[in-house]
Amino acid sequence: MAHIGRALELGGAGDRSAARVALTELWERVGDTGDALHRCTIAHHLADLQESVADEVAWDRRALAAVADLSDERVQRQHGSLRVRALLPSLHLNLADGYRRVGDVACAREHLALATPLAVELPDDAYGTMIRDAITRVAALLDAGSREPLAAA
């Protein structure tokens, strides 16, 4: 996780390309069968660093797939209060938004329908509010037929 954190710092400093390279190298080291938390985290962040929406969706799908191999016990070794179900709203939201932007309305609605009720799993804090607000914004953009990127609130 420390290596992932260092890669994310590159992106946070504005070097998206270096962050993408670093995370891709980590993905190759972890592999498709490595630690599920590492796979989920790497894929989740790699999605945000892609140049195309189709590639973003592919990484978001990998992040969601990794959750199937993840246990509460494993995520709690990383952060004591974390539960796998609390990861799902964000992962489904990302897929809903990606599918919306590529024009796959059915898949977008499917993932939005999964994200919405799972949002109750989120804490009542800034992160939970951000995800719940983003779910609302993606729903509105989807209803409007927009394929524009989700603007930050």
Side-chain angles (χ1 to χ4, degrees):
M1 292 304 282
H3 293 292
I4 294 169
R6 284 193 289 279
L8 295 178
E9 288 173 5
L10 293 169
D15 196 345
R16 291 172 49 88
S17 179
R20 185 172 48 248
V21 168
L23 286 171
T24 300
E25 288 172 357
L26 287 171
W27 178 266
E28 290 168 359
R29 281 180 38 203
V30 170
D32 292 334
T33 58
D35 182 276
L37 181 59
H38 295 160
R39 285 185 288 130
C40 181
T41 305
I42 293 167
H44 177 69
H45 291 291
L46 262 171
D48 294 337
L49 297 169
Q50 298 306 303
E51 297 296 324
S52 78
V53 179
D55 289 340
E56 182 178 336
V57 168
W59 281 107
D60 281 331
R61 289 179 63 184
R62 287 181 185 106
L64 183 61
V67 169
D69 299 331
L70 198 51
S71 68
D72 284 341
E73 178 184 15
R74 172 60 187 103
V75 296
Q76 288 169 356
R77 285 197 316 260
Q78 187 64 36
H79 189 283
S81 66
L82 195 55
R83 292 187 339 209
V84 173
R85 285 186 57 84
L87 302 175
L88 294 173
S90 176
L91 297 174
H92 284 294
L93 167 64
N94 289 350
L95 278 165
D97 189 51
Y99 281 127
R100 176 190 64 80
R101 288 184 289 133
V102 297
D104 189 336
V105 174
C107 281
R109 289 198 187 284
E110 176 184 335
H111 284 282
L112 196 60
L114 292 166
T116 302
L118 289 168
V120 301
E121 299 290 333
L122 297 171
D124 190 20
D125 61 8
Y127 174 77
T129 298
M130 176 186 71
I131 298 300
R132 285 187 287 274
D133 289 350
I135 289 170
T136 300
R137 292 194 326 269
V138 168
L141 290 167
L142 190 57
D143 289 344
S146 173
R147 291 174 67 173
E148 293 300 313
L150 179 63

